[in-house]
Amino acid sequence: MSLTAGIVGLPNVGKSTLFNAITKKNILAANYPFATIDPNVGVVVVPDERLDFLNDLYKPKSLVPTTFEFTDIAGLVKGASTGEGLGNKFLSHIREVDAICEVVRCFENKDIIHVLNDVDPIRDIEIIEVELILSDLEIIENRFNKIGKKASLSKDKEVIKEANILTKLKEALEKNIPIRRLELTDEEKLYIKPFNLLTSKPIIYVANVSEDDLLEGNNKYVESVVEYAKKDNALVVSICAKIESDLSEMDNLQKNNFLNELGISESGIDNLIKASYKLLGLKTFFTAGEDECRAWTFKTGMKAPECAGIIHTDFEKGFIKAEVMSYSDLKLYGSEKSVKEAGKMRLEGKDYLMQDGDICYFRFNV
């Protein structure tokens, strides 16, 4: 289960600098080299110190981290949804993503001209939001036009139900209300899922700040973005794209030394990945042994058979039991053998809710 996020923003907000840093990021390169699927998609490894511990303990032949996929589109401008600057074509590229990362300029720099001549992150956010709303509205209106007359004449309950849902979405979008702010039933959420509406996706605001502001942690523009983000229960991650660009050119040792000198524990990209996991309710379980140690991403609330199915569909179909130990227990006792001797290795059945950090051996029969 690879997480995908679409990067959007106005021109000259630091979006390209950030994406270029992402495409150069290369963690555990020998085992999972950076991949470029096409010119605007970058796949990077999700950093996880727990996987590093398993690697040191088991010394496997293969180490496989989980991955994070970023899709970058060209800077949007006002009118993008109607094709201005080919914006509508670009927006179609991110309809399949799980979340949207909107890069917002929160720094002053006379040498980098803002497309609207001054720095105002809330205005920039609202411009992008309107374009996403208009793009979604076009999809809803096209569908409504196909079934609207049929619904008014038909007695088919399903057709009428669909028309009512479309009307609810259309009225909200026409009032500039993104879909993620609506209270939708589970049935309505299931119905709109195939549309891949941009404003229904969770959003993270990536505040691009100067190096000084990142280190000092005091920026009036970021404060305004944080306040605005509360409307959507969205997360805000402060990043200095310039620092990320410098880090992308370094090996791991140089990177760690540089971060230590700055007094920063993690890179902005790593923080962005972790924030995305939190926003989407994602967690990680592991499989470990001498042949391979591997991280797997799953959604909160998934049961053991579903997680087994992430590895292979046959594992879910023929699921019998899961042999489970927690990462914290393995780290505490120092070896799998000691975990078993301490009675901390468990056999879990079909109703077991997987926990973050579980290390599993699935028993199945097909």
Side-chain angles (χ1 to χ4, degrees), residues 258-276:
F258 183 58
L259 289 174
N260 287 335
E261 288 175 9
L262 293 175
I264 301 173
S265 59
E266 291 184 302
S267 74
I269 293 174
D270 289 351
N271 285 332
L272 177 57
I273 292 172
K274 289 185 176 181
S276 300

Side-chain angles (χ1 to χ4, degrees), residues 235-344:
L235 298 178
V236 179
V237 177
S238 291
I239 280 180
C240 174
K242 174 64 172 62
I243 289 179
E244 297 305 313
S245 181
D246 292 341
L247 286 169
S248 69
E249 304 288 348
M250 303 177 187
D251 60 32
N252 281 343
L253 180 60
Q254 291 173 322
K255 173 185 166 182
N256 289 335
N257 289 337
F258 183 58
L259 289 174
N260 287 335
E261 288 175 9
L262 293 175
I264 301 173
S265 59
E266 291 184 302
S267 74
I269 293 174
D270 289 351
N271 285 332
L272 177 57
I273 292 172
K274 289 185 176 181
S276 300
Y277 266 60
K278 179 180 178 181
L279 185 70
L280 295 169
L282 300 176
K283 294 179 179 176
T284 304
F285 75 90
F286 303 92
T287 50
E290 293 181 358
D291 287 334
E292 179 185 85
C293 288
R294 184 164 184 161
W296 305 86
T297 302
F298 70 100
K299 290 187 177 181
T300 302
M302 288 180 73
K303 295 182 178 180
E306 295 175 280
C307 288
I310 293 173
I311 299 174
H312 197 288
T313 52
D314 286 347
F315 285 22
E316 182 174 6
K317 291 176 184 176
F319 179 88
I320 300 173
K321 292 283 184 182
E323 195 172 342
V324 183
M325 60 180 165
S326 69
Y327 167 78
S328 58
D329 283 339
L330 181 59
K331 189 172 183 181
L332 175 64
Y333 292 102
S335 72
E336 194 174 309
K337 181 173 180 288
S338 297
V339 170
K340 289 179 179 179
E341 290 174 348
K344 297 294 184 178

Side-chain angles (χ1 to χ4, degrees), residues 21-39:
I22 288 168
T23 59
K24 292 177 185 176
K25 184 179 174 65
N26 196 8
I27 302 171
L28 299 173
N31 299 294
Y32 201 104
F34 161 78
T36 300
I37 297 173
D38 60 44

Side-chain angles (χ1 to χ4, degrees), residues 137-152:
L137 185 58
E138 181 182 358
I139 289 175
I140 296 301
E141 286 179 335
N142 287 341
R143 179 60 186 164
F144 191 82
N145 289 338
K146 288 180 180 178
I147 71 154
K149 288 185 179 179
K150 183 179 179 182
S152 63

